[in-house]
Structure formats: structure tokens, C-alpha cells
Amino acid sequence: MSARGLVHDNTLILDGTNYDVWKICMLSHFRDIDPHMEKIVDIGFSPPMDSQNLSLEDEKNLYLNSQASYVLMNALRDVGLFPYLPFWSAHELWTKIQDKYDVSNII
């Protein structure tokens, strides 16, 4: 199968100048993956009390968090991953990205 003529879309890659468009595309991408993923990214979730005895909801939240974190780390490859490595949750990553690039938060 030939890839000729296919267009590669870089809107999911944050380059530091495209935050407003990137944020909209990422939220849409998260909704496409799973309708609950946006909540995991935007609000976060409480980690399970007993990691050895997970409920189905805990398992799903941990799975969605892992997926969202992977997507975010992949999107950050052009701006450098090092400052974001300490954060394990997708919500923490999302918040740190917003703090750095969302000019509407700067007063």
C-alpha cells in the first residue's frame, strides 16, 4: 500500500507557538479516544487507596491516565520532555503545559 498523497497532520505536536489550536485539537483527540479521557486530563482523578485491590473504575482511570500521559508526552517532543518528566498524571502534565503556554492565564 502506497503512502503517496497522504497528508501528515502535525496539529497534535506542540511547537510552542501553536498552543491555542493545539489545545482544541488535543481535547478533541482525547474525546475521540474515550469520552471520559477529557475528565481525566482536565480534572484528574483520585489514585486508588489500595493498589493491590483495584475496582473496575480504578483500573479504567489508571488506563486512561496512562494513555493520556503517553499522548501528551508524544505531543511535547518538539519543545523538550525533560521539564515534564517528574509528572506522572495526565492532569499534572496538562496543568504544567497550560501554565507555560496559555497566554490567557498571564495577567
Side-chain angles (χ1 to χ4, degrees), residues 35-82:
H36 302 288
M37 189 176 285
E38 182 182 4
K39 179 183 157 215
I40 296 292
V41 170
D42 196 33
I43 299 170
F45 70 99
S46 299
M49 295 297 225
D50 181 8
S51 61
Q52 299 300 318
N53 225 355
L54 298 176
S55 69
L56 287 176
E57 183 179 0
D58 289 336
E59 287 182 15
K60 182 174 182 173
N61 287 340
L62 288 169
Y63 177 73
L64 290 175
N65 181 68
S66 295
Q67 277 192 314
S69 295
Y70 175 79
V71 168
L72 286 171
M73 293 303 266
N74 190 46
L76 294 170
R77 68 179 182 238
D78 286 354
V79 294
L81 296 174
F82 188 72

Side-chain angles (χ1 to χ4, degrees), residues 11-27:
T11 56
L12 296 180
I13 305 301
L14 181 64
D15 67 9
T17 64
N18 62 340
Y19 176 77
D20 292 333
V21 172
W22 176 84
K23 180 180 177 180
I24 293 166
C25 291
M26 287 303 290
L27 290 172

Side-chain angles (χ1 to χ4, degrees), residues 80-101:
L81 296 174
F82 188 72
Y84 303 99
L85 290 178
F87 307 108
W88 73 273
S89 81
H91 176 67
E92 288 176 315
L93 285 167
W94 187 252
T95 302
K96 295 304 174 192
I97 295 166
Q98 282 182 321
D99 290 346
K100 183 167 183 175
Y101 294 104

Side-chain angles (χ1 to χ4, degrees), residues 1-7:
M1 180 173 167
S2 173
R4 175 179 274 176
L6 293 178
V7 176

